[in-house]
């Protein structure tokens, strides 16, 4: 029996009515000695089958906790509230016993550091065939043949020989391919990739991102790509969600977002990236200060204390997610990019040569 | 020894001049890692040299070999006229006060049990510079100049600061002995982009204020371009290409430099996302390929490339490449506009 039969999730029925994954007002809090850390605070998003969503943010923005909260991979002390619906079924309150049927089979995750995620004492082959036997009840030879095919899918040369190797015998890029093969083994409908290329070199990074994209198309699988790198989401996602201080602050189709950023935080992040098109020694725009303390987040907009465009209202009242011209584009800001208040302040800052706006080329 | 040539070395006010540097590590009775295999470069006073390459290319080993940690197997490291490889331990310690280093992980490079002001103060105390009051005054001045509140530094330990702040503190400690040259080994790669921009701007400012010369080692080409005057591209222990920063990025001549530039994910969804053309991953430095070390991954490689090692030769003004088939033609096809 497979998980599709034993689990309570019936993919085909629900698919027609709503997106594959719907996250509604999800919060994840961690009680600590200092107080409650509001790592994820009221995040809502959805993803359709076959789509890819990038979750971008700096360290401590809650992007990793968000992806783990959706999958239910959190320490026991974590308190989740809100709703996560996967293929029409509420999974937030499912016990781990039931979640086991989803993990690996329906939702899989690729982590940042492949060496820490693979078992160093187990041959690659065993690590790939394990979920196949467990979830899909394959016999040994069938599982082995499937494992070889999976390794070929992620472009690992000499796939048969690899089955008998240990993780330390492979390079970083090859290990990450093995991780992807394991994640794909049971044909998941959602793949979470948490900084899958951060530990890899640029030339290898582009190969790995291409493999993930290729498999997404081939398998009509959804991909949630968690990264700090705006460059990575630009080329490899359909939608982007920007996180700041545990909140979702902007969400849009990728092209719309890059063409028309509304949230000053997104804009500032973009401006602080060194660009190859600019001559050397171009002064970089900076975001002063540091991300908010999630035990005592500031009142109002969480970005306001670091925002060059913040006004009194921003410090007092929290902006709700508003809809932009594109109905799929949401942002949480009182004075978004393009508003008269923003533009007036921007002109002022530029005239004063403020380090928070770049003096050179704009994006 | 088969080096990568000296054509790119210059006359003038050189702070650092490295010739035919070789660093090898024994990993077992039969295997040695050939981390750096005969590279040469020089850095003029006030210049920033960027060294860029993938992990395992030997860029960090090069930086450390300049500091003589460990001493290189062979080669000359001439710093302000004296060859550091020839110096005895006492002389070397003295010379190292003028060559400082900043590391990648700012939190682990500071002593967690001491206040950060003590950490910054220590080099001055060791060398007995000035009176106690003068030392404290200097430390506070330098902490101020890197944007750290001296009062907070006096009472706080590294874990009470963020990564970006710890990197500022490491920079302060490197500055306190008034060095000529600072070797920055991936100083911003552990930082978020917004903080990275702050630290890069700070390094530019400090370079101006303190008249520093920098060697900036990093894997991120955009970061290296931003801060460097001249860039050296390394691959598997060898230099591929050396050029002025703007020139290298406008007209990359080595196929490897081209591939590196093409692999950078651009923050622009309309950019050309051609499928990656790189073949495989870097081979092991234990058994590097013959001839040009890049030839197994290079789409332009032919028989010459596997047989003969290319020497650095000029292809433009202050632009040098070690390649049998440099690809100048690709420049105009660059789809940036």
């Amino acid at each position: 029996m497979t998980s599709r039969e034993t689990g309570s999730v019936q993919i085909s029925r629900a698919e027609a009515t709503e997106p594959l994954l719907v996250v509604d007002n999800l919060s994840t809090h961690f009680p600590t000695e200092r107080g409650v850390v509001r790592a994820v605070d009221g995040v809502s998003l959805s993803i359709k089958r076959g789509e890819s969503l990038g979750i971008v943010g700096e360290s401590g923005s809650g992007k990793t906790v968000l992806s783990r909260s959706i999958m239910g991979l959190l320490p026991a002390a974590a308190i989740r509230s809100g709703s996560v619906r996967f293929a029409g079924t509420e999974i937030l309150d499912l016990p781990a016993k039931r979640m086991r049927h989803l993990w690996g089979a329906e939702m899989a995750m690729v982590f940042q550091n492949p060496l820490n995620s693979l078992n160093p004492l187990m041959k690659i082959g065993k690590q790939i065939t394990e979920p196949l036997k467990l979830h899909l009840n394959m016999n040994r030879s069938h599982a082995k043949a499937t494992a070889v095919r999976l390794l070929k899918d992620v472009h690992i040369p000499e796939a048969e020989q690899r089955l008998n190797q240990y993780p330390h015998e492979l390079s970083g890029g090859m290990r990450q391919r093995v991780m992807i093969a394991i994640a794909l083994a049971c044909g998941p409908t959602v793949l979470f990739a948490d900084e899958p290329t951060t530990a890899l070199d640029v030339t290898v990074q582009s190969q790995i991102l291409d493999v993930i994209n290729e498999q997404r198309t081939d398998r009509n699988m959804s991909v949630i790509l968690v990264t700090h790198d705006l460059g990575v989401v630009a080329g490899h996602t359909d939608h982007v969600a920007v996180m700041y201080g545990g909140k979702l602050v902007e969400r849009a189709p990728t092209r719309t977002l890059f063409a028309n950023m509304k949230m000053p935080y997104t804009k500032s992040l973009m401006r602080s990236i060194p660009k190859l098109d600019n001559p050397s020694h171009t002064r970089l725009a900076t975001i002063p200060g540091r991300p908010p303390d999630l035990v005592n987040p500031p009142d109002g907009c969480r970005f306001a204390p670091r925002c060059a465009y913040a006004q009194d209202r921003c410090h007092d009242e929290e902006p709700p997610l508003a809809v932009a011209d594109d109905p799929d584009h949401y942002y949480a800001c009182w004075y978004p990019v393009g508003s008269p208040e923003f533009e007036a302040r921007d002109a002022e800052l530029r005239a004063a040569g403020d380090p928070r706006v770049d003096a050179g080329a704009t994006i | 020894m088969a080096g990568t040539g000296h054509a790119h070395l210059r006359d003038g006010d050189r702070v650092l001049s490295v010739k035919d540097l070789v660093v090898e590590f024994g990993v077992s009775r039969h295997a040695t890692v050939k981390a750096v295999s005969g590279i040469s470069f020089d850095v003029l006073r006030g210049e920033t040299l960027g060294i860029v390459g993938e992990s395992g290319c030997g860029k960090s080993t090069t930086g450390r070999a300049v500091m003589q940690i460990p001493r290189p197997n062979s080669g000359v490291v001439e710093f302000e006229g004296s060859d550091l490889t020839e110096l005895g331990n006492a002389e070397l310690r003295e010379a190292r006060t003028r060559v400082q280093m900043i590391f990648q992980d700012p939190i682990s490079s500071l002593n967690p049990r001491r206040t950060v002001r003590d950490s910054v103060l220590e080099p001055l105390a060791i060398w007995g510079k000035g009176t106690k009051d003068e030392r404290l005054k200097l430390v506070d001045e330098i902490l101020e100049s890197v944007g750290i509140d001296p009062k907070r530094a006096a009472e706080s330990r590294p874990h009470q600061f963020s990564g970006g702040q710890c990197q500022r503190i490491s920079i302060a400690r490197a500055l306190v002995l008034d060095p000529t040259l600072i070797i920055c080994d991936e100083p911003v790669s552990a930082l978020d982009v917004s903080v990275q921009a702050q630290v890069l701007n700070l390094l530019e400012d400090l370079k101006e204020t303190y008249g520093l010369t920098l060697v900036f080692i990093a894997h991120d080409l955009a970061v290296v371009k931003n801060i460097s005057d001249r860039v050296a591209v390394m691959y598997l222990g060898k230099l591929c290409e050396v050029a002025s920063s703007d020139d290298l990025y406008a007209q990359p001549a080595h196929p490897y430099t081209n591939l590196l530039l093409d692999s950078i994910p651009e923050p622009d969804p309309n950019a050309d996302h051609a499928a990656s053309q790189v073949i495989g991953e870097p081979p092991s430095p234990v058994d590097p390929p013959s001839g040009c070390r890049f030839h197994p991954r290079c789409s332009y490689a032919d028989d010459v490339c596997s047989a003969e090692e290319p020497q650095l030769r000029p292809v433009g003004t202050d632009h040098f490449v070690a390649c049998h088939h440099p690809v100048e033609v690709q420049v105009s096809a660059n789809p940036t506009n």
Side-chain angles (χ1 to χ4, degrees), chain A residues 162-179:
Chain A
R162 302 289 177 189
L163 295 179
N164 285 318
Q165 288 186 320
Y166 288 95
H168 77 268
E169 296 175 76
L170 305 180
S171 67
M174 283 300 154
R175 284 179 205 138
Q176 196 59 295
R177 285 172 199 266
V178 170
M179 283 304 298

Side-chain angles (χ1 to χ4, degrees), chain A residues 221-250:
Chain A
M221 174 179 75
S222 307
V223 171
I224 294 183
L225 185 66
V226 178
T227 175
H228 67 282
D229 190 334
L230 279 167
V232 167
V233 290
H236 294 90
T237 58
D238 302 320
H239 290 263
V240 180
V242 182
M243 300 264 310
Y244 185 81
K247 297 257 179 197
L248 198 147
V249 293
E250 186 159 13

Side-chain angles (χ1 to χ4, degrees), chain A residues 58-59 171 174 201 203 205-207 210 231 234-235 255 258 270 274 276 278 280-284 286-287 290, chain B residues 54-55 165 192 194 198 201 204-205 222 225-227 229 246 249 264-265 267 269-270 273 276 278 280-281:
Chain A
E58 295 183 274
S59 38
S171 67
M174 283 300 154
D201 283 315
T203 57
Q205 163 171 289
S206 53
Q207 297 171 12
D210 287 346
R255 278 171 192 278
F258 281 88
M270 189 72 184
L276 280 175
N278 291 345
S280 63
H281 305 299
T282 299
R283 192 92 188 155
L284 296 165
T286 57
I287 308 177
R290 50 197 289 195
Chain B
E54 293 181 274
S55 47
Q165 287 171 320
D192 275 318
S194 63
Q198 296 171 13
N201 285 346
E204 291 269 23
D205 291 342
K225 180 184 181 184
N226 184 273
I227 198 154
D229 299 299
D246 289 330
Y249 291 88
I264 301 178
N270 299 316
H273 284 287
S276 52
V278 204
E281 293 175 41

Side-chain angles (χ1 to χ4, degrees), chain B residues 72-150:
Chain B
N73 295 52
S74 67
V76 175
V77 178
E78 212 177 272
F79 171 68
E80 292 192 314
S82 58
D83 183 357
L84 298 184
T85 60
E86 300 278 313
L87 295 184
N89 287 339
E91 294 164 300
L92 186 60
R93 270 192 75 207
E94 204 281 318
R96 277 182 184 149
T97 62
R98 286 171 288 129
V99 198
Q100 292 284 322
M101 200 157 182
I102 302 169
F103 299 94
Q104 174 169 356
D105 184 348
I107 296 171
S108 69
S109 56
L110 292 168
N111 187 333
R113 291 167 185 270
R114 317 181 81 167
T115 67
V116 302
R117 191 164 76 157
D118 282 348
S119 283
V120 178
L121 185 69
E122 192 182 21
L124 289 172
I126 288 174
W127 288 96
K129 302 256 161 116
T131 64
K132 199 174 171 210
D133 286 347
E134 283 167 357
R135 293 202 285 261
L136 284 174
K137 190 166 161 276
L138 178 65
V139 165
D140 288 355
E141 249 174 55
I142 286 182
L143 282 169
E144 199 90 58
S145 75
V146 298
I148 296 290
D149 177 14

Side-chain angles (χ1 to χ4, degrees), chain B residues 164-293:
Chain B
Q165 287 171 320
C166 284
Q167 197 58 289
R168 289 168 185 270
I169 294 161
S170 304
I171 294 171
R173 191 178 49 180
L175 282 174
V176 80
L177 286 174
D178 192 21
T180 316
L181 177 72
I182 298 185
I183 296 170
C184 312
D185 188 2
E186 298 268 18
V188 296
S189 50
L191 307 176
D192 275 318
V193 277
S194 63
V195 182
Q196 167 180 297
Q198 296 171 13
V199 172
L200 288 173
N201 285 346
L202 176 70
L203 281 172
E204 291 269 23
D205 291 342
L206 295 172
K207 195 183 145 197
E208 196 77 18
T209 321
Y210 295 95
L212 298 170
T213 304
L214 300 179
V215 173
F216 191 96
I217 299 165
H219 69 282
D220 186 324
L221 286 101
V223 166
V224 168
K225 180 184 181 184
N226 184 273
I227 198 154
S228 308
D229 299 299
R230 205 168 193 237
V231 176
V233 181
M234 274 189 83
Y235 184 77
L236 220 60
K238 297 275 184 188
L239 286 185
C240 296
E241 190 163 1
V242 181
S244 76
S245 183
D246 289 330
D247 213 32
L248 183 88
Y249 291 88
Q251 313 190 25
H254 199 287
Y256 179 60
T257 315
N258 276 283
L259 286 178
L260 270 183
L261 286 170
D262 288 345
S263 312
I264 301 178
E266 269 185 83
D268 174 9
N270 299 316
D272 239 11
H273 284 287
S276 52
Q277 323 146 21
V278 204
I279 314 162
E281 293 175 41
S284 159
V286 172
D287 185 20
S290 62
C292 171
R293 291 192 175 180

Side-chain angles (χ1 to χ4, degrees), chain A residues 104-105 107-110 114 117-119 122-132 135 147 150-151 154 156 167 175-188 191 219:
Chain A
M107 305 172 138
M109 193 174 254
V110 177
S117 321
L118 289 167
N119 185 338
M122 208 191 266
K123 286 178 180 168
I124 302 293
K126 179 131 194 251
Q127 301 194 46
I128 306 180
T129 52
E130 205 173 38
L132 293 171
H135 287 296
L150 282 163
L151 290 179
V154 295
I156 291 185
R175 284 179 205 138
Q176 196 59 295
R177 285 172 199 266
V178 170
M179 283 304 298
I180 295 170
I182 294 173
L184 295 174
C186 299
L191 179 72
R219 294 161 183 265

